[in-house]
Every structure is written in C-alpha cells, then in structure tokens.
Amino acid sequence: MPLLALLAALAPCLQAATPEPAPKLLALRGAKVYPVSGPPLDSAVVLLSQGRITALGKDLPVPPGALLLELNGKVIVPGFIDAASRLGVEPGEQSPGGADQDALDSIDRYDSTWREVRERGVTCVFVDPGGTGPVGGLGAVLRLDEARSVLAKEAALCLAVAGGESSGPSQRHEAVLQLRRLFESGRQYTETWVKYRKDLSEFAEK
C-alpha cells in the first residue's frame, strides 16, 4: 500500500516535526501524482513555496536551495474533504437542535484528533452541529491547519426527515410537516418585518 503524501498538509507537518524553520521551497520528486484535474502523472515533480503548490510536471527542474524529498514508489493526492464530520465535537454529545444552534459553539479545537485526521489525508471538513431534531443547526467548514481556520461560518442549515433506522413512515411524515411549518413561520416573520419597515418609512415621510 503506497504512502499517502499529502500536498496541502505536508509543509505544515514538516514544520511541526522539526524545530528548524521550514524551507521556503520544497520539491517532491518521483511519486505518482493525481492532480485535481487531468490524468495521473508518473514520477512527477511537485514544487511548493511556503506551503503552496507553485508547479507540477514530469520533467520540472529542482531549483537550487530547495529541500528535495525523493518519493519513489509513493503516491501524492490532493487533500480529501469530509463533507459530513463531527470532528472536535464530543462523541455522543447531541442536542434537540434548532436553527440557532451553531457547530462552532461546541467544537473543541484543541482535540488531538485533528492532527490524526489530517495525517490521513483530510484537509478540510464540514462539521455538523449534530442536533437530533428535524432542524439540526448551522454547520461550519474548517481547514485542518494548526489554527483550525474557519473557511465558512454558518455554511449550511442541516435538516433531516429521518430519525435513524428505527424511524417509520409516520415519523418521517411528521418531520416533513414540522419543517414545512417552520419554513412557513419564517416566511411570515420576514414578511412582517418587511411590512413594518415599509410602514415606518411611510410614517416618517408624513
């Protein structure tokens, strides 16, 4: 099984593994590379500058002064994205959920699991707030760097019409009806505020 060499996370991992400053230019040579688009390249060269890919090709020259890593027989792929994660959320921790529940309020950014997941090739996650009701809450997209950078706050409102394998048709039907009532309530709330602002503006003009 070839080693998974992670493009987007390799430079931060090297920096964490040694007290010396990370090199400004890093060259990975000899691995089979699967680009984001296009066919795979055998024995390719990947150049990175300060953690970012600057060039990729079959016969790229290695610039003088670059740190060269020979990766013959290895495989390099782009970072994976986990679109349904509960990373950093306490296992088994669940709440009824709601439109105001935010995943960022419950994420433990000091959890050691972050680095383990990144070393297995995942560089970005969508964290589900984990609510058990039809409206689970607001999820967030995070990058698995040392800062746990938030790429998208309130990225999506998580909804569900099934309560697991034990839920029956009547339960799913009730969940759909509940979601419809919530959306209708939200529509009426918005229309009320629009009318209020319009009436207030007309009153101020008079």
Side-chain angles (χ1 to χ4, degrees), residues 179-197:
L179 287 173
R180 286 179 177 174
R181 289 192 292 267
L182 288 171
F183 276 105
E184 178 62 22
S185 176
R187 184 185 65 81
Q188 294 177 359
Y189 179 83
T190 301
E191 291 178 351
T192 300
W193 269 106
V194 170
K195 184 178 184 302
Y196 168 77
R197 293 190 181 98

Side-chain angles (χ1 to χ4, degrees), residues 91-175:
E93 181 179 332
Q94 291 183 318
S95 67
D100 58 344
Q101 180 171 325
D102 195 327
L104 292 178
D105 294 334
S106 58
I107 292 177
D108 180 8
R109 301 195 186 189
Y110 298 97
D111 189 343
S112 60
T113 311
W114 290 85
R115 177 166 293 181
E116 296 176 12
V117 173
R118 186 179 67 186
E119 289 174 353
R120 284 164 173 76
V122 179
T123 57
C124 184
V125 294
F126 172 81
V127 180
D128 185 337
T132 58
V135 180
L138 294 165
V141 179
L142 294 93
R143 189 191 305 278
L144 299 191
D145 53 13
E146 293 298 329
R148 316 292 192 258
S149 303
V150 179
L151 300 181
K153 181 181 179 182
E154 300 180 355
L157 180 63
C158 300
L159 308 176
V161 295
E165 296 180 358
S166 60
S167 64
S170 60
Q171 292 173 298
R172 292 192 290 272
H173 177 67
E174 177 58 33

Side-chain angles (χ1 to χ4, degrees), residues 23-40:
K24 292 184 178 180
L25 190 60
L26 178 66
L28 312 177
R29 185 171 66 186
K32 183 174 184 178
V33 178
Y34 287 84
V36 175
S37 59

